[in-house]
Coordinates of all heavy atoms in Angstrom, one line a residue:
A1 N 135.7 26.7 45.7 CA 137.1 26.7 46.1 C 137.9 25.6 45.6 O 139.1 25.8 45.3 CB 137.1 26.8 47.6
G2 N 137.3 24.4 45.4 CA 138.0 23.4 44.8 C 138.5 23.5 43.5 O 139.4 22.8 43.0
H3 N 137.9 24.5 42.7 CA 138.4 24.8 41.3 C 139.5 25.7 41.3 O 140.1 25.9 40.2 CB 137.2 25.3 40.5 CG 136.0 24.4 40.4 ND1 136.0 23.4 39.4 CD2 134.9 24.2 41.0 CE1 134.9 22.7 39.4 NE2 134.2 23.2 40.5
V4 N 139.8 26.4 42.4 CA 140.7 27.5 42.4 C 142.1 27.1 42.0 O 142.7 27.9 41.2 CB 140.7 28.3 43.7 CG1 141.8 29.3 43.7 CG2 139.3 29.0 43.9
P5 N 142.7 26.1 42.4 CA 144.0 25.7 41.9 C 144.1 25.5 40.5 O 145.1 26.0 39.9 CB 144.3 24.3 42.7 CG 143.4 24.4 43.9 CD 142.2 25.2 43.5
A6 N 143.1 25.0 39.9 CA 143.2 24.8 38.3 C 143.1 26.2 37.7 O 143.6 26.4 36.7 CB 142.0 23.9 37.9
I7 N 142.2 27.1 38.3 CA 142.1 28.4 37.7 C 143.4 29.2 37.8 O 143.9 29.7 36.8 CB 141.0 29.2 38.4 CG1 139.6 28.5 38.3 CG2 140.9 30.6 37.9 CD1 138.5 29.1 39.2
V8 N 144.0 29.2 38.9 CA 145.3 29.9 39.1 C 146.4 29.4 38.2 O 147.0 30.1 37.5 CB 145.7 29.9 40.6 CG1 147.1 30.5 40.7 CG2 144.6 30.7 41.5
S9 N 146.5 28.1 38.3 CA 147.6 27.5 37.5 C 147.4 27.6 36.0 O 148.3 27.9 35.2 CB 147.8 26.0 37.8 OG 146.7 25.3 37.6
G10 N 146.1 27.5 35.6 CA 145.8 27.7 34.2 C 146.0 29.1 33.7 O 146.6 29.3 32.6
L11 N 145.6 30.1 34.5 CA 145.8 31.5 33.9 C 147.3 31.8 34.0 O 147.8 32.6 33.2 CB 145.1 32.4 34.9 CG 143.5 32.5 34.8 CD1 142.9 33.4 35.8 CD2 143.1 33.1 33.3
W12 N 148.0 31.2 35.0 CA 149.4 31.5 35.1 C 150.2 30.8 33.9 O 151.0 31.5 33.2 CB 149.9 30.9 36.3 CG 151.3 31.3 36.8 CD1 152.5 31.4 35.9 CD2 151.8 31.6 38.1 NE1 153.6 31.8 36.6 CE2 153.2 31.9 37.9 CE3 151.2 31.7 39.3 CZ2 154.0 32.3 39.1 CZ3 152.0 32.0 40.4 CH2 153.4 32.3 40.3
D13 N 150.0 29.5 33.7 CA 150.7 28.8 32.7 C 150.4 29.2 31.3 O 151.3 29.3 30.4 CB 150.5 27.3 32.9 CG 151.0 26.8 34.2 OD1 151.9 27.4 34.8 OD2 150.6 25.7 34.7
R14 N 149.0 29.4 31.0 CA 148.6 29.6 29.7 C 148.8 31.1 29.3 O 149.1 31.3 28.1 CB 147.2 29.3 29.5 CG 146.8 27.9 29.7 CD 145.3 27.6 29.4 NE 144.9 26.2 29.6 CZ 143.7 25.8 29.2 NH1 142.9 26.5 28.6 NH2 143.3 24.6 29.5
Y15 N 148.5 32.0 30.1 CA 148.4 33.4 29.7 C 149.3 34.4 30.6 O 149.2 35.6 30.4 CB 147.0 33.9 29.8 CG 146.0 32.9 29.1 CD1 145.1 32.2 29.9 CD2 146.0 32.7 27.8 CE1 144.2 31.3 29.3 CE2 145.2 31.8 27.1 CZ 144.3 31.1 28.0 OH 143.5 30.2 27.3
S16 N 150.1 33.8 31.5 CA 151.0 34.6 32.3 C 150.4 35.6 33.2 O 150.9 36.7 33.6 CB 152.0 35.4 31.4 OG 152.7 34.4 30.6
Y17 N 149.1 35.3 33.7 CA 148.5 36.2 34.7 C 149.1 35.7 36.1 O 149.3 34.5 36.3 CB 147.0 36.0 34.7 CG 146.3 36.8 33.6 CD1 146.2 36.2 32.4 CD2 145.9 38.0 33.9 CE1 145.6 37.0 31.3 CE2 145.2 38.8 32.8 CZ 145.1 38.2 31.6 OH 144.5 38.9 30.6
R18 N 149.4 36.7 37.0 CA 150.0 36.3 38.3 C 149.2 36.9 39.4 O 148.5 37.9 39.3 CB 151.3 36.9 38.4 CG 152.4 36.5 37.3 CD 152.8 35.0 37.6 NE 153.9 34.6 36.7 CZ 153.7 34.0 35.6 NH1 152.5 33.8 35.2 NH2 154.8 33.7 34.9
P19 N 149.1 36.3 40.6 CA 148.4 36.8 41.7 C 149.2 38.1 42.1 O 150.3 38.1 42.3 CB 148.5 35.7 42.8 CG 148.8 34.5 42.0 CD 149.6 34.8 40.8
R20 N 148.4 39.2 42.3 CA 149.0 40.5 42.7 C 148.5 40.9 44.1 O 149.3 41.7 44.7 CB 148.6 41.5 41.6 CG 149.1 41.2 40.2 CD 150.6 41.0 40.1 NE 150.9 40.9 38.7 CZ 152.2 40.6 38.3 NH1 153.2 40.5 39.2 NH2 152.5 40.4 37.0
E21 N 147.3 40.6 44.4 CA 146.8 41.0 45.7 C 145.6 40.1 46.1 O 145.1 39.3 45.3 CB 146.3 42.4 45.8 CG 145.2 42.7 44.7 CD 144.8 44.3 44.7 OE1 144.1 44.6 45.7 OE2 145.3 45.0 43.9
A22 N 145.4 40.1 47.4 CA 144.3 39.1 47.9 C 143.7 39.8 49.1 O 144.2 40.7 49.8 CB 144.9 37.8 48.3
E23 N 142.4 39.3 49.4 CA 141.7 39.8 50.5 C 140.9 38.7 51.2 O 140.4 37.8 50.5 CB 140.6 40.9 50.1 CG 139.7 41.4 51.1 CD 138.7 42.4 50.6 OE1 138.6 42.5 49.4 OE2 138.0 43.0 51.5
W24 N 141.0 38.6 52.5 CA 140.3 37.6 53.2 C 138.8 38.0 53.6 O 138.6 39.1 54.0 CB 141.0 37.3 54.6 CG 142.3 36.5 54.4 CD1 143.5 37.1 54.5 CD2 142.5 35.1 54.3 NE1 144.5 36.1 54.3 CE2 143.9 34.9 54.1 CE3 141.6 34.0 54.2 CZ2 144.4 33.5 54.0 CZ3 142.1 32.7 53.9 CH2 143.5 32.5 54.0
L25 N 137.9 37.0 53.4 CA 136.5 37.2 53.8 C 136.2 36.0 54.8 O 136.6 34.9 54.6 CB 135.6 37.1 52.6 CG 135.7 38.2 51.6 CD1 134.7 38.1 50.5 CD2 135.5 39.6 52.3
T26 N 135.4 36.3 55.8 CA 135.0 35.3 56.8 C 133.8 34.5 56.2 O 132.8 35.1 55.9 CB 134.6 36.0 58.1 OG1 135.7 36.7 58.6 CG2 134.2 34.9 59.1
V27 N 134.0 33.3 56.1 CA 133.0 32.3 55.5 C 131.9 31.9 56.6 O 130.8 31.9 56.3 CB 133.6 31.1 54.9 CG1 132.5 30.0 54.5 CG2 134.5 31.4 53.7
L28 N 132.4 31.7 57.8 CA 131.5 31.2 58.9 C 132.0 31.7 60.2 O 133.1 31.8 60.5 CB 131.5 29.7 58.8 CG 130.8 29.0 59.9 CD1 129.3 29.1 59.7 CD2 131.2 27.5 60.1
I29 N 130.9 32.1 61.0 CA 131.2 32.5 62.3 C 130.5 31.6 63.2 O 129.3 31.5 63.2 CB 130.7 33.9 62.7 CG1 131.4 35.0 61.7 CG2 130.9 34.3 64.2 CD1 130.9 36.4 61.9
Q30 N 131.3 30.7 64.0 CA 130.7 29.7 64.9 C 130.5 30.3 66.2 O 131.3 31.0 66.8 CB 131.6 28.6 65.0 CG 131.6 27.8 63.5 CD 132.3 26.4 63.7 OE1 133.4 26.3 63.2 NE2 131.7 25.5 64.3

């Protein structure tokens, strides 16, 4: 997850890819 900001900004700035949809997944149930 720590790499995601660089991935998103890189794809956006370099190649004009944009976030179009998202889905939540549960990582941990305490």
Side-chain angles (χ1 to χ4, degrees):
H3 295 274
V4 170
I7 297 170
V8 173
S9 62
L11 287 175
W12 190 320
D13 295 339
R14 295 185 184 189
Y15 312 112
S16 299
Y17 283 86
R18 300 288 188 266
R20 302 299 187 186
E21 60 183 279
E23 178 184 6
W24 286 98
L25 294 180
T26 300
V27 172
L28 174 71
I29 300 176
Q30 291 187 257

